[in-house]
Amino acid sequence: AGVRGRFQTGPLEHEVVLSANSFYQARASGLPATLSVTRSNIYSPTFSPNPIMPAARRYRQNDNTFTSYAISDTISAFDKRVQLTLGLRKQFVDINNYTLQTGLIASRNRSDAITPVVGLVVKPLQNVSLYASYIEGLTAGTVVGNTFVNAGQVLPPFVTKQYEAGAKVDWGKLMTSVAIFQSTQASGIADTATNTFTDNGETRYRGVELNVAGEIVEGVRALGGITFLDSKLMRTANGTFDGNEAQGVPRVQANLGLEWDPGFVRNLTLFGRMI
């Protein structure tokens, strides 16, 4: 919910936004089942008996509540060819973890933070926008997977930070953009000795993103882009894993969608997409 208002102070135009929002999420899980092991091989297979499974039932695992209050002002000048956005958010995160068997609270994380946003857009030409932004946000920690002893635990909240700068050009029927960015978020580590997963340091992402959207030639439209990403672990315990590449992060991501109106059949459009 929010309210938006506009007013002027001399040559400057202001667009002020006040907003509040709340988000609630609950997670349930089944108890893990231990099944018997049957020794076998592909040449002389031994078939295992039907497993005896416990009755299926949902158990409360955790619930999260996110609440925030925000104020921002977008200041425009020179017929909106220069726009500066300034804002602040007060965020609250409340996370409860429950013991599956009893339903009692096993641990609780409560955090709050004031996070800023700053954005600048400059239009040197009517069809060209140059922009830069910085934003922070309080986010919930990772939910520990079922393969660990502390399965279901939500790691502590973390303040993410993101810098971005880029350019957008409107060619008429086609829009292209390029952006460079850096963001940080919490990272975790698996302890093989205790079979636990805990928070440890942070992950830094740096990348370049290219995008295109619109009509390339008459009857052929494209929507796609490519991202080159570099990820590094930072501030790990005792610097043990500093500089390592983050797990499960692709170095290149690309997607392209094409539409074609062949013309030999009225209102026919052929399309394809690759990710």
Side-chain angles (χ1 to χ4, degrees):
V3 61
R4 177 178 298 159
R6 293 186 178 91
F7 61 91
Q8 284 195 253
T9 56
L12 303 178
E13 182 179 335
H14 298 260
E15 182 174 330
V16 176
V17 177
L18 297 171
S19 65
N21 69 74
S22 183
F23 173 76
Y24 174 79
Q25 180 184 51
R27 180 185 176 106
S29 176
L31 289 173
T34 302
L35 305 181
S36 61
V37 176
T38 300
R39 298 181 64 84
S40 181
N41 62 69
I42 62 174
Y43 305 106
S44 178
T46 300
F47 295 95
S48 60
N50 287 337
I52 299 175
M53 301 291 290
R57 181 184 165 189
R58 290 163 55 89
Y59 295 85
R60 178 183 288 188
Q61 185 168 324
N62 57 64
D63 55 51
N64 310 328
T65 304
F66 304 88
T67 306
S68 72
Y69 305 94
I71 181 171
S72 69
D73 185 10
T74 299
I75 307 166
S76 304
F78 307 110
D79 196 23
K80 294 190 175 182
R81 297 186 76 137
V82 177
Q83 293 180 308
L84 174 66
T85 298
L86 302 172
L88 286 175
R89 262 192 312 178
K90 177 67 173 180
Q91 294 181 272
F92 302 87
V93 176
D94 188 359
I95 301 173
N96 299 310
N97 299 302
Y98 299 89
T99 302
L100 292 181
Q101 291 85 348
T102 64
L104 300 177
I105 291 181
S107 64
R108 165 173 279 181
N109 285 317
R110 283 183 170 178
S111 297
D112 63 88
I114 296 178
T115 56
V117 58
V118 180
L120 177 65
V121 178
V122 178
K123 298 181 179 180
L125 301 173
Q126 190 62 34
N127 67 321
V128 177
S129 292
L130 308 177
Y131 71 92
S133 66
Y134 172 74
I135 190 169
E136 294 181 4
L138 183 65
T139 60
T142 303
V143 179
V144 177
N146 291 331
T147 57
F148 297 96
V149 172
N150 59 330
Q153 179 184 352
V154 181
L155 301 185
F158 182 82
V159 175
T160 62
K161 301 176 181 180
Q162 179 170 306
Y163 305 82
E164 184 175 343
K168 296 182 179 182
V169 182
D170 185 349
W171 303 94
K173 292 186 176 182
L174 197 68
M175 191 278 291
T176 56
S177 67
V178 58
I180 57 175
F181 59 88
Q182 174 179 300
S183 64
T184 57
Q185 68 177 44
S187 62
I189 186 170
D191 188 327
T192 54
T194 60
N195 192 33
T196 56
F197 190 86
T198 56
D199 58 315
N200 189 317
E202 64 184 36
T203 304
R204 184 205 66 201
Y205 303 90
R206 286 178 177 170
V208 178
E209 186 175 46
L210 307 170
N211 286 295
V212 60
E215 194 168 39
I216 302 174
V217 296
E218 188 70 30
V220 178
R221 294 173 295 278
L223 173 63
I226 185 168
T227 302
F228 302 94
L229 198 57
D230 174 59
S231 62
K232 289 286 185 295
L233 298 181
M234 302 173 62
R235 300 179 183 176
T236 58
N238 302 317
T240 305
F241 301 103
D242 285 5
N244 285 8
E245 193 170 354
Q247 181 178 340
V249 179
R251 296 179 181 178
V252 179
Q253 298 179 81
N255 65 86
L256 179 63
L258 289 174
E259 288 187 354
W260 175 41
D261 303 331
F264 51 77
V265 177
R266 188 179 178 184
N267 296 328
L268 173 66
T269 298
L270 305 176
F271 66 89
R273 184 161 178 80
M274 177 196 70
I275 300 176

